[in-house]
Amino acid sequence: MKINLSINGQKHEADVEPRLLLVHFIRDLAGLTGTHVGCETSICGACTILMNGKAVKSCAILAVQADGAEITTIEGLATNGQLHPVQEGFWECHGLQCGYCTPGMIMSACGLLKENPNPTEDQIRHGLEGNLCRCTGYQNIVDSVKYAANKIKAQTAKAD
Amino acid sequence: MSFLAKYIGQKVKRTEDPRLVQGIGHYVDDIELAGTLSVVILRSPYAHAKINSINVDAAKKAPGVVAVYTGKDIEGKVGLIPCAAAAPDMKKPDYPALALGKVAYVGQPVAAVVASDKYKARDAVDLIEVDYEPLEAVTDIEAAARPDSPVIHEELGTNVGWLYQAGSGDIDAAFAQADKVVSLKLVHQRLIPTAMEPRGVLAQYFPGEKQLNVWSSTQIPHLLRTTLAAMLGVPENRLRVIAPEVGGGFGSKLNVYAEEALLGWIAMQLGRPVKWIETRRENMMATIHGRGQTGTVEVAVKNDGTLLGLRYNVIYDLGAYLQLLTPAIPTLTGLMLSGCYKIPAIQLNCTQVYTNKMATDAYRGAGRPEATYLVERVMNRVADELGMDPVELRRKNFPKPEEFPFATAAGLVYDTGDYAKALNKALEIADYKKLRDEQAKARAEGRLVGVGVSTYVEICAVGPSVMLPSGGWDSATVRVEPSGKVTVLTGVSPHGQGEETAFAQIVGDMLGVDMNDVLVVHGDTDRVQYGIGTFGSRGLAIGGTAVAVATDKIVGKAKRLAAHMLQTDENSLTFENGKFVGAPDDKSMTIQEVAFHAYQAHNIPPDFEPGLVASYFFEPKNCTFPFGAHICVAEVDKETGEVKILRYVAVDDCGKQINPLLVAGQVHGGIAQGMAQALFEEAVYDENGQLLTGELMDYAFPKAHQLPRYELDHTETPTDVNPLGAKGVGEAGTIGSTPAVANAVIDALAPLGVKHVDLPLRPEKLWRLMNN
Ligand code: FES
Ligand code: FES
């Protein structure tokens, strides 16, 4: 099946098997390997991306279902070498160790902050319940998201 | 050896992170070689079965399939999967990389399909027909040890692999003199390590150069190289193992697996790169598990709380075969049976049995969490029986700081410690007295609130070398390049611990250079001199020490050249902030200038070896013994049985901290894993040996909202085993937290007459307990 989609602003056109998972399209065909696979059963969240602005698990979607979609992956977050506030938060707050869950965590956090720019600790913890991390015990991830929320707030205040 | 304090001791942000937060690091599956084929493994659906025949004809003809291999194809060509820790008197089955004639656990590799992509390989695996003859599965470890049990490995004649006894002191006299004997039976349930990155292997062969390259998600690239060379008959100097970015290990990648050898062999057969990436399901059934002990601990005690002796009789679940260190794990439990206490007589009696399950092996803590859990649980039982406060009982039996080095009856000499200090600090932070008052109030209101204390000591950075099959040393090479940039080659293989940062801090401070000018290279056997790897909380204490000593050698050599060039005596020079100063006329030279001249070698002393490179292999003279005190406050919901952690205080002492940010991260993650054992996780096999928790859907891996905030603090008691004074902290949290949480929950249930509950303390179990 022919599909057209945009990933990080780049157009991709391909003829794919209907069963191809979106995560495999992103990794194997588009060559963007920052989106990780931790389970393929939509539990771990390592494959989280933004599809039309919403955080989704790309192992739970077929590539053909993404026909016409606008996708952002972890590689598309930083602009001109400048880290996105959520990426910066993870760096500042030691929100990662092995880094394997990190792209998915960051993309989920981006989705969460879009919906709720001012989350409480509890809302962050629940908002990230679709993302597993074995290394950090989550506390620094929560702090990273809080950091990002504050940073985004400060940036928008400045822009206004 | 001298250090600046510009970086060391500071919360320095990690140098690893920019690539990782942008998703531009490279884990095995992210490495793409042109023409790579995909390998998918067919695994046994039975826990115990004879294989009558395997028919691969249809699979071979499937679209995209290049080759299919079974056990017969590799017999005599790919060596057996090795165990490095089996005692000479251990009964040990052969463990081929693909099953031969029988299977002994669900998930055991039976055949390998090589195809043009993973979808086609997966399709073809379904076309392989295996005629299995199911046999009775052995799953219960106590039953497995009985003479009437079916025997898994007929050639061994028994399921008992090894009987092992350890400890010292007059154990019989201790029990004879006791006012009281307290005993407790406990289960250390099987756990699945579940690193977020599953395992993966990529292999490539160059027939002309006779060079085999293997990328593997491993914690031990060099040990893997040596082992694979032997398994495949490839000269070790033509085998390169690369551990690229590794997405967590926790011991599960401290091993040598069938797939690592298979992929190397297949790449050599086909002359094309081949890649195998483990699925999560495979990871849960065919990557090593942890824990798996059922034992009874007995303690002999005086009425005043003085401990006299401890005996632990335990059956250990080996699983179906031995992986790299399987039988060694309970020996570590035996070594730590003294906990933080003076116990004059200790005895371990360990029976190791084969069962139809995945092998157990090192999982974060590896035998020490078991020791700490059983000691800390039984200490609470003793306190109960004697009507003492559990804190008082602990204090009474601590060795005093001046009693270190402290020799235990379990056979170790603890380096340094001040256990009361850590405990007091934790009690102060938690406000223990107030906690007990609040608990009394809560109880009066009918709420089930408990306070759990655990004081732990653990063994890290194991050495001297005789203590480990691989040797216990590690290595570093430090090169100051002609431009003054510094390259550090470390023999340890970090996979999340942050040693690229920590080692750059050490070298930056020792050479007085910007730490961003220090590149730390690891995980590539062609770039780095031989090393042992990262496990057992050894990376900093042993690998970091090697880095520090090598750097010190650099300073010494550079000083000689600087003195020569500045035409002064070496002894009149001092090295300050990256500069050799103290020469006449205020002349000085930076380390970068010295490096340039060391390579240019136009003006060097007569016997001076050009270049500015130094290596050091550090052999530790003892292990290190970090310790700490954890306090947990928990409430059990009377309606649902759910446990809520109200507070968690951890005071850890890992000696000198190079980077407190990294230390805290290790402690957080460790506590989370220990809590997961206490409250959620368990690898469950049914009586047919089917793994019921074979997906993340079924295995109770904790999520962000199920874990609390951790309140951390520390004391600092440096070790004298290494010049950094650092003890290691990778496993401390896991070791301290399981008993703290268990003690809290069981304390909460005490008003109901509950004396012990086995882990995990899941709502359903607690609900039943409350409602019976
Ligand atoms: S890989 Fe998609 S949720 Fe785990
Ligand atoms: S940082 Fe390793 S799994 Fe999250």
Side-chain angles (χ1 to χ4, degrees):
Chain A
M1 284 175 82
K2 277 229 162 55
I3 56 167
N4 262 298
L5 64 168
S6 139
I7 308 179
N8 305 330
Q10 183 109 30
K11 295 252 166 284
H12 291 264
E13 210 188 300
D15 195 0
V16 301
E17 273 193 72
R19 63 174 174 168
L20 182 73
L21 299 179
L22 180 57
V23 67
H24 291 146
F25 183 93
I26 292 170
R27 291 181 53 84
D28 302 341
L29 275 76
L32 294 165
T33 56
T35 302
H36 297 154
V37 178
C39 68
E40 270 183 28
T41 53
S42 105
I43 303 284
C44 77
C47 65
T48 307
I49 55 159
L50 297 181
M51 184 156 121
N52 302 325
K54 267 193 134 27
V56 296
K57 292 175 176 177
S58 62
C59 75
I61 297 172
L62 297 169
V64 292
Q65 291 174 295
D67 188 23
E70 298 264 350
I71 284 168
T72 308
T73 69
I74 188 73
E75 291 93 338
L77 274 194
T79 39
N80 306 320
Q82 188 70 37
L83 294 183
H84 183 278
V86 178
Q87 292 173 312
E88 189 185 308
F90 274 71
W91 192 13
E92 286 293 330
C93 303
H94 189 25
L96 63 148
Q97 290 179 31
C98 79
Y100 199 75
C101 71
T102 311
M105 281 288 179
I106 290 176
M107 299 315 286
S108 281
C110 285
L112 171 70
L113 292 177
K114 272 194 184 172
E115 280 169 23
N116 178 2
N118 238 333
T120 61
E121 164 136 5
D122 211 43
Q123 287 167 335
I124 295 172
R125 286 184 183 268
H126 279 281
L128 294 179
E129 70 187 12
N131 291 74
L132 302 181
C133 175
R134 195 53 148 175
C135 299
T136 63
Y138 298 110
Q139 181 161 316
N140 285 351
I141 291 180
V142 173
D143 293 347
S144 304
V145 179
K146 282 188 191 159
Y147 175 102
N150 287 330
K151 174 101 190 207
I152 294 169
K153 236 182 293 164
Q155 278 176 349
T156 22
K158 227 169 154 194
D160 291 346
Chain B
M1 205 175 282
S2 67
F3 307 96
L4 294 173
K6 183 171 166 202
Y7 301 122
I8 292 179
Q10 305 300 313
K11 294 184 180 173
V12 178
K13 282 195 299 177
R14 302 203 317 169
T15 56
E16 292 89 340
D17 290 359
R19 64 176 188 262
L20 297 177
V21 298
Q22 296 183 80
I24 51 177
H26 289 90
Y27 302 83
V28 174
D29 197 18
D30 305 338
I31 298 164
E32 207 42 67
L33 303 176
T36 299
L37 301 170
S38 279
V39 178
V40 171
I41 309 282
L42 173 71
R43 294 175 187 276
S44 169
Y46 291 103
H48 195 192
K50 254 173 68 185
I51 299 176
N52 290 328
S53 64
I54 306 179
N55 184 344
V56 299
D57 293 349
K60 274 191 173 154
K61 286 187 217 126
V65 170
V66 176
V68 180
Y69 302 105
T70 66
K72 287 210 176 102
D73 299 314
I74 66 160
E75 190 179 5
K77 296 172 188 152
V78 175
L80 300 172
I81 296 163
C83 173
D89 58 335
M90 175 149 199
K91 292 200 166 65
K92 187 178 147 199
D94 282 355
Y95 188 7
L98 291 175
L100 260 182
K102 74 175 289 180
V103 285
Y105 66 94
V106 168
Q108 184 170 353
V110 171
V113 170
V114 190
S116 53
D117 71 55
K118 54 182 170 260
Y119 284 74
K120 297 206 173 76
R122 284 181 192 179
D123 288 344
V125 157
D126 293 339
L127 300 175
I128 300 176
E129 290 164 26
V130 186
D131 178 12
Y132 291 106
E133 188 180 322
L135 301 168
E136 195 179 334
V138 179
T139 54
D140 182 283
I141 58 176
E142 286 168 287
R146 288 185 207 124
D148 61 348
S149 166
V151 172
I152 298 171
H153 304 290
E154 286 150 16
E155 67 281 14
L156 306 183
T158 168
N159 293 324
V160 177
W162 195 33
L163 293 171
Y164 172 75
Q165 190 171 69
S168 71
D170 191 339
I171 195 78
D172 295 329
F175 278 90
Q177 287 158 20
D179 292 331
K180 237 189 179 71
V181 171
V182 179
S183 87
L184 181 62
K185 181 172 176 183
L186 339 88
V187 176
H188 308 265
Q189 81 271 30
R190 256 186 190 251
L191 301 173
I192 306 184
T194 339
M196 285 318 299
E197 182 210 20
R199 292 185 295 119
V201 187
L202 169 67
Q204 180 180 33
Y205 187 62
F206 299 92
E209 292 82 356
K210 296 192 168 62
Q211 167 81 26
L212 177 63
N213 291 348
V214 176
W215 288 258
S216 181
S217 181
T218 182
Q219 301 173 225
I220 46 166
H222 281 95
L223 300 180
L224 180 60
R225 185 188 72 179
T226 304
T227 320
L228 284 184
M231 291 172 81
L232 299 175
V234 176
E236 190 174 5
N237 51 3
R238 292 175 184 276
L239 178 52
R240 176 183 187 184
V241 173
I242 300 168
E245 216 74 78
V246 172
F250 315 107
S252 70
K253 296 170 182 174
L254 159 57
N255 226 303
V256 176
Y257 287 99
E259 298 85 359
E260 291 171 315
L262 270 178
L263 271 272
W265 184 78
I266 295 172
M268 291 170 72
Q269 300 310 298
L270 301 178
R272 288 184 60 183
V274 287
K275 189 189 263 184
W276 166 78
I277 300 297
E278 191 179 52
T279 63
R280 178 56 62 192
R281 193 169 184 83
E282 288 178 290
N283 177 262
M284 305 201 82
M285 64 186 180
T287 288
I288 61 103
H289 292 173
R291 320 286 187 254
Q293 296 184 6
T294 297
T296 300
V297 54
E298 296 163 282
V299 172
V301 65
K302 286 268 179 218
N303 277 334
D304 68 353
T306 307
L307 301 173
L308 300 176
L310 180 149
R311 186 189 291 130
Y312 182 45
N313 295 325
V314 61
I315 304 181
Y316 172 56
D317 185 353
L318 294 161
Y321 298 95
L322 303 182
Q323 285 280 347
L324 196 63
L325 299 170
T326 303
I329 307 309
T331 65
L332 283 166
T333 308
L335 286 174
M336 294 314 295
L337 283 179
S338 200
C340 316
Y341 314 110
K342 297 208 259 189
I343 309 179
I346 287 177
Q347 189 179 65
L348 167 76
N349 297 303
C350 177
T351 305
Q352 305 198 349
V353 299
Y354 292 103
T355 58
N356 289 116
K357 302 179 211 164
M358 181 59 202
T360 51
D361 204 315
Y363 168 53
R364 202 171 194 171
R368 297 99 99 202
E370 292 87 321
T372 304
Y373 175 65
L374 75 92
V375 170
E376 292 305 294
R377 276 299 301 134
V378 81
M379 286 297 277
N380 269 32
R381 286 290 307 118
V382 169
D384 264 5
E385 293 287 326
L386 298 177
M388 270 176 96
D389 183 280
V391 166
E392 280 328 301
L393 177 70
R394 284 170 170 79
R395 267 208 192 106
K396 188 175 174 63
N397 289 285
F398 285 155
K400 311 231 160 358
E402 56 278 13
E403 290 178 75
F404 290 82
F406 174 69
T408 72
L412 294 170
V413 180
Y414 294 173
D415 55 349
T416 56
D418 190 343
Y419 303 152
K421 192 168 161 193
L423 175 59
N424 291 340
K425 194 161 188 175
L427 293 169
E428 205 176 289
I429 294 168
D431 203 341
Y432 186 66
K433 265 201 63 132
K434 193 159 149 233
L435 282 182
R436 288 292 184 200
D437 293 344
E438 285 169 2
Q439 180 189 29
K441 253 188 245 148
R443 275 185 178 163
E445 293 162 15
R447 288 165 57 204
L448 298 173
V449 174
V451 180
V453 176
S454 102
T455 47
Y456 73 89
V457 58
E458 59 137 340
I459 177 173
C460 283
V462 169
S465 281
V466 286
M467 288 185 73
L468 276 185
S470 59
W473 52 272
D474 225 302
S475 68
T477 298
V478 178
R479 297 198 307 243
V480 186
E481 313 289 2
S483 62
K485 301 282 184 199
V486 186
T487 308
V488 176
L489 312 174
T490 171
V492 299
S493 196
H495 42 279
Q497 293 83 354
E499 267 127 12
E500 289 176 33
T501 308
F503 291 179
Q505 289 177 257
I506 293 172
V507 174
D509 271 356
M510 288 185 73
L511 294 182
V513 299
D514 188 326
M515 65 173 276
N516 295 307
D517 285 339
V518 182
L519 174 70
V520 178
V521 177
H522 57 82
D524 181 342
T525 62
D526 267 15
R527 288 177 78 187
V528 177
Q529 72 291 331
Y530 207 92
I532 304 297
T534 292
F535 54 88
S537 305
R538 67 194 302 280
L540 179 67
I542 301 181
T545 297
V547 169
V549 178
T551 309
D552 197 47
K553 285 165 81 174
I554 293 272
V555 175
K557 182 173 179 184
K559 192 181 210 180
R560 254 190 88 208
L561 183 55
H564 173 79
M565 299 204 62
L566 296 168
Q567 295 179 321
T568 186
D569 181 65
E570 244 186 88
N571 296 325
S572 66
L573 287 183
T574 47
F575 187 52
E576 284 171 13
N577 279 312
K579 255 190 186 167
F580 291 99
V581 296
D585 306 330
D586 262 1
K587 281 195 292 183
S588 68
M589 271 183 98
T590 66
I591 183 83
Q592 290 89 351
E593 287 166 338
V594 176
F596 176 79
H597 290 290
Y599 286 94
Q600 195 190 36
H602 285 187
N603 180 11
I604 54 176
D607 55 347
F608 187 87
E609 186 185 351
L612 198 48
V613 182
S615 286
Y616 192 71
F617 284 52
F618 173 64
E619 166 70 12
K621 59 179 190 296
N622 190 5
C623 314
T624 59
F625 296 88
F627 59 90
H630 288 202
I631 298 177
C632 176
V633 187
E635 175 159 10
V636 179
D637 187 314
K638 278 183 131 172
E639 298 296 315
T640 63
E642 208 156 350
V643 174
K644 193 165 162 60
I645 306 289
L646 303 177
R647 278 187 78 187
Y648 198 90
V649 174
V651 174
D652 296 277
D653 190 323
C654 59
K656 175 95 186 134
Q657 300 194 4
I658 302 297
N659 186 336
L661 198 66
L662 301 183
V663 170
Q666 288 296 314
V667 174
H668 286 178
I671 292 173
Q673 268 169 315
M675 264 182 196
Q677 171 168 12
L679 297 178
F680 309 111
E681 292 181 14
E682 180 174 20
V684 182
Y685 283 89
D686 71 9
E687 68 280 4
N688 297 318
Q690 288 298 333
L691 181 61
L692 301 182
T693 52
E695 287 282 5
L696 286 173
M697 206 116 45
D698 313 308
Y699 187 74
F701 187 117
K703 300 175 172 162
H705 69 275
Q706 294 174 304
L707 293 172
R709 263 197 174 259
Y710 321 108
E711 301 171 51
L712 304 193
D713 209 326
H714 66 278
T715 58
E716 187 175 300
T717 312
T719 179
D720 51 10
V721 174
N722 64 62
L724 293 176
K727 289 189 169 185
V729 72
E731 295 153 294
T734 315
I735 290 166
S737 65
T738 308
V741 175
N743 282 343
V745 174
I746 293 166
D747 185 46
L749 298 171
L752 309 178
V754 173
K755 291 186 158 59
H756 180 72
V757 194
D758 276 322
L759 308 182
L761 303 165
R762 283 208 289 256
E764 178 221 348
K765 195 187 277 176
L766 302 188
W767 186 89
R768 278 178 202 282
L769 212 86
M770 290 187 292
N771 288 280
N772 277 337

